[in-house]
Amino acid sequence: MAKYRQIFERLAEEMRNGTRPADSKLPSETELMHQFEASRGTVRKALDLLQENGYVRKHHGKGVFVLKRDQIEFQFNGIVSFSEVYASMLGRSIQTHVAAFEEMEAPPWLVERMNLKAGTHVFRIERVRNFDGENVILDINYFVKDLVPGLTEEIAARSIYGYIEGELGLQISYAKRKIAAEDVTELDRMRLDLHDYEYVIVITNDTFLYEGQQFEYTESRHRLDKFQFSDVARR
Amino acid sequence: MAKYRQIFERLAEEMRNGTRPADSKLPSETELMHQFEASRGTVRKALDLLQENGYVRKHHGKGVFVLKRDQIEFQFNGIVSFSEVYASMLGRSIQTHVAAFEEMEAPPWLVERMNLKAGTHVFRIERVRNFDGENVILDINYFVKDLVPGLTEEIAARSIYGYIEGELGLQISYAKRKIAAEDVTELDRMRLDLHDYEYVIVITNDTFLYEGQQFEYTESRHRLDKFQFSDVARR
DNA sequence: CGCCATTTGTGCGTATGTATC
DNA sequence: GGATACATACGCACAAATGGC
């Protein structure tokens, strides 16, 4: 690990575990240089990282100060599967059931949407998330087959993202998300325990690799009362 | 302006106007050093900025490459008022009506939520967004009076954020957002044209200044069919 | 396969400017 | 004014990834 990264991790850990309490002042850059036996540029890079990640606030001419606790904990920015977030927020586990798994030629609307070559093959996966005995979330994924070879139903039942990033080593660059309410469809009725709800919250997700190619399109359909989305926007 | 900033702006402009097309390779760091008569550190800082802002992608051992156009345009990350986003996405304008404007002592639940001192005064503002002749969004803002002095109903009718950042020069650091569906309230019925909808989508927003103090809590209540949220998450 | 040139990544030392106290 | 600390910039050295030979 890069040295500035080590310093960052070390200091961040000390802030999380309370060794460096909120509002306390960090040692000066020169002092940290000696403590970590690093150059000033390296220390500064670590401090920049800390500030970018919301741990500290630098005050020109005064020093670097630790920000309050609850401002730190809340960071799940970036790209996370909503189900995971949802589970972690409630502190409980979600049962996942693979309701469909097929390889198919991308339908026209998907070719259009993902800007694919006609005839491209994709995996289509339906997964139902069961929470407290009720099916409340339906995830429909489309993955470009060439980019995610070797995807199986067993993997889908666990963590597709774990496979993609871990096994395949694909680098995800960014994702476009959209959230909106939609009328319940027949498929929703079939897969979910909808009670009397006439609407679902739909999160669509277009995920791109570093090279700019889209490799995934996903719809995550949530029963109204079981939907929640949180994030932190930073400037 | 700082030199690395100048280099960043210059290169970014050239990418936007097409002088440096997508997938093209930037000159090497050493070459840019000479072109801009800057040190390598300075050039690298500019390149880092470009990558952070989604303009380019660096590849160790290969070079720096310009990303595709639509990957650049789509960035309305950060903190934006949802109404503005909503309006810009539909390409139409929204009429804003200030339905309530009062100064009050922060109620207990707000003191708790915003971690205020008891007895703190806040502005409470209700604004209704009218779109195509229908009231579809109700914004309820609470601003800490001491941090946003001089707020008036006239300002509320235009852009509160414009006032806060422009006139007052306050620096917003980050915002926590939450989106969820809620049952319609009496207030919703009073202010909005709800038709038969029994639910609203509620976006809560806690906004913080750099010093870590929260100065705003807002609820934005949308009629189901008029709600849409988009963003781009980057890694 | 190894070797090498190119290019980015990291770390170091230093100098100057500027803001705060 | 002086001490301290952050911001920016420069130059140098070496490491690591890449691709051509």
Side-chain angles (χ1 to χ4, degrees):
Chain A
M1 189 161 40
K3 197 161 184 179
Y4 73 92
R5 189 86 208 165
Q6 288 175 34
I7 300 176
F8 164 77
E9 295 289 359
R10 171 71 175 280
L11 291 174
E13 176 52 31
E14 292 181 357
M15 290 176 218
R16 282 192 298 262
N17 70 25
T19 312
R20 297 186 182 277
D23 295 323
S24 67
K25 189 180 154 185
L26 254 54
S28 76
E29 295 184 350
T30 28
E31 191 149 340
L32 288 171
M33 280 171 59
H34 298 127
Q35 283 185 27
F36 289 101
E37 293 182 2
S39 77
R40 232 189 112 205
T42 308
V43 168
R44 284 182 52 73
K45 214 160 172 180
L47 293 178
D48 287 348
L49 259 185
L50 285 170
Q51 171 151 309
E52 282 166 26
N53 288 80
Y55 283 95
V56 302
R57 174 93 196 124
K58 297 206 247 185
H59 281 280
H60 200 150
K62 290 204 287 193
V64 182
F65 297 87
V66 180
L67 287 176
K68 287 202 203 72
R69 196 88 180 83
D70 65 328
Q71 297 167 22
I72 298 173
E73 300 187 305
F74 212 94
Q75 26 184 347
F76 52 86
N77 254 359
I79 301 155
V80 200
S81 96
F82 282 90
S83 319
E84 289 165 31
V85 172
Y86 184 55
S88 74
M89 286 183 56
L90 291 151
R92 307 206 231 161
S93 69
I94 285 185
Q95 302 292 321
T96 298
H97 163 66
V98 179
F101 186 98
E102 52 179 329
E103 185 188 326
M104 60 191 286
E105 208 173 272
W109 65 268
L110 190 64
V111 170
E112 169 83 11
R113 164 145 205 154
M114 295 184 67
N115 197 23
L116 301 172
K117 275 198 281 278
T120 305
H121 275 237
V122 295
F123 290 113
R124 179 180 184 282
I125 304 166
E126 281 182 38
R127 287 181 295 177
V128 177
R129 313 290 183 168
N130 186 295
F131 180 69
D132 280 349
E134 287 195 313
N135 295 324
V136 291
I137 304 174
L138 170 61
D139 282 352
I140 307 171
N141 304 81
Y142 295 90
F143 292 99
V144 174
K145 189 193 170 198
D146 289 344
L147 297 174
V148 193
L151 191 58
T152 66
E153 191 163 339
E154 287 68 43
I155 295 168
R158 290 191 243 156
S159 170
I160 294 181
Y161 268 69
Y163 173 70
I164 289 169
E165 299 195 285
E167 306 271 314
L168 295 178
L170 290 183
Q171 293 268 47
I172 292 165
S173 174
Y174 68 99
K176 296 182 188 177
R177 298 184 284 205
K178 201 184 80 175
I179 304 174
E182 287 184 15
D183 293 326
V184 164
T185 66
E186 272 311 306
L187 185 61
D188 294 329
R189 283 192 217 283
M190 193 192 316
R191 301 286 189 216
L192 301 179
D193 298 316
L194 281 176
H195 302 309
D196 293 332
Y197 294 100
E198 294 168 51
Y199 301 94
V200 286
I201 302 287
V202 180
I203 300 143
T204 63
N205 213 312
D206 296 276
T207 315
F208 296 81
L209 300 177
Y210 271 129
E211 288 69 26
Q213 337 152 46
Q214 184 174 355
F215 82 103
E216 178 196 10
Y217 168 69
T218 292
E219 277 185 28
S220 194
R221 308 176 69 85
H222 294 232
R223 200 172 78 187
L224 264 196
D225 62 325
K226 294 298 182 189
F227 165 73
Q228 177 167 325
F229 168 71
S230 304
D231 86 334
V232 180
R234 289 177 193 285
R235 275 234 239 246
Chain B
M1 191 163 36
K3 199 164 183 177
Y4 73 92
R5 186 90 209 164
Q6 288 176 34
I7 299 175
F8 164 78
E9 294 290 357
R10 172 71 173 279
L11 292 174
E13 176 54 31
E14 292 181 357
M15 290 177 220
R16 282 191 299 262
N17 72 24
T19 312
R20 296 187 182 277
D23 295 323
S24 67
K25 188 179 155 184
L26 254 52
S28 74
E29 295 181 352
T30 28
E31 193 150 338
L32 290 172
M33 280 172 59
H34 298 127
Q35 282 185 27
F36 288 101
E37 293 182 356
S39 73
R40 197 168 157 229
T42 307
V43 167
R44 282 183 56 75
K45 209 161 172 178
L47 293 177
D48 286 346
L49 258 185
L50 285 170
Q51 170 152 304
E52 282 166 27
N53 289 78
Y55 283 95
V56 302
R57 176 92 200 128
K58 300 207 255 183
H59 281 282
H60 196 154
K62 290 206 289 193
V64 182
F65 298 86
V66 179
L67 287 177
K68 285 204 204 70
R69 196 85 182 86
D70 67 327
Q71 296 170 22
I72 298 173
E73 298 186 308
F74 210 95
Q75 31 185 343
F76 54 87
N77 256 357
I79 300 154
V80 200
S81 96
F82 282 91
S83 318
E84 290 164 31
V85 172
Y86 185 54
S88 73
M89 285 184 56
L90 290 151
R92 306 207 232 163
S93 68
I94 285 185
Q95 303 292 320
T96 299
H97 163 65
V98 179
F101 186 97
E102 52 178 329
E103 186 190 326
M104 61 190 287
E105 205 173 273
W109 65 268
L110 191 63
V111 169
E112 168 83 12
R113 165 146 204 153
M114 294 183 68
N115 197 22
L116 301 172
K117 275 197 281 279
T120 305
H121 275 238
V122 294
F123 289 113
R124 179 179 185 284
I125 303 166
E126 281 182 36
R127 288 181 295 178
V128 177
R129 315 289 184 168
N130 186 296
F131 180 68
D132 280 349
E134 286 195 314
N135 296 323
V136 291
I137 304 175
L138 170 62
D139 281 351
I140 306 171
N141 304 81
Y142 294 91
F143 291 100
V144 175
K145 191 194 168 195
D146 290 344
L147 297 173
V148 193
L151 192 58
T152 66
E153 192 163 340
E154 287 68 44
I155 296 168
R158 289 190 245 156
S159 172
I160 294 181
Y161 268 68
Y163 174 70
I164 288 169
E165 299 195 285
E167 307 271 313
L168 294 178
L170 290 182
Q171 293 268 44
I172 293 165
S173 172
Y174 68 98
K176 296 181 189 176
R177 299 183 283 206
K178 201 184 80 177
I179 304 175
E182 288 185 15
D183 294 324
V184 165
T185 66
E186 272 311 306
L187 186 62
D188 294 329
R189 283 192 217 282
M190 194 191 319
R191 302 287 188 215
L192 301 178
D193 298 316
L194 282 175
H195 304 310
D196 293 332
Y197 293 103
E198 294 168 53
Y199 301 93
V200 286
I201 302 287
V202 180
I203 300 144
T204 63
N205 213 313
D206 296 276
T207 316
F208 296 81
L209 300 176
Y210 268 129
E211 289 68 28
Q213 336 152 45
Q214 185 174 355
F215 83 105
E216 178 197 9
Y217 168 69
T218 292
E219 276 186 30
S220 194
R221 308 176 69 86
H222 294 231
R223 199 173 79 188
L224 264 195
D225 62 326
K226 293 298 182 189
F227 165 75
Q228 177 166 325
F229 168 73
S230 305
D231 86 335
V232 179
R234 285 175 195 288
R235 276 232 240 244

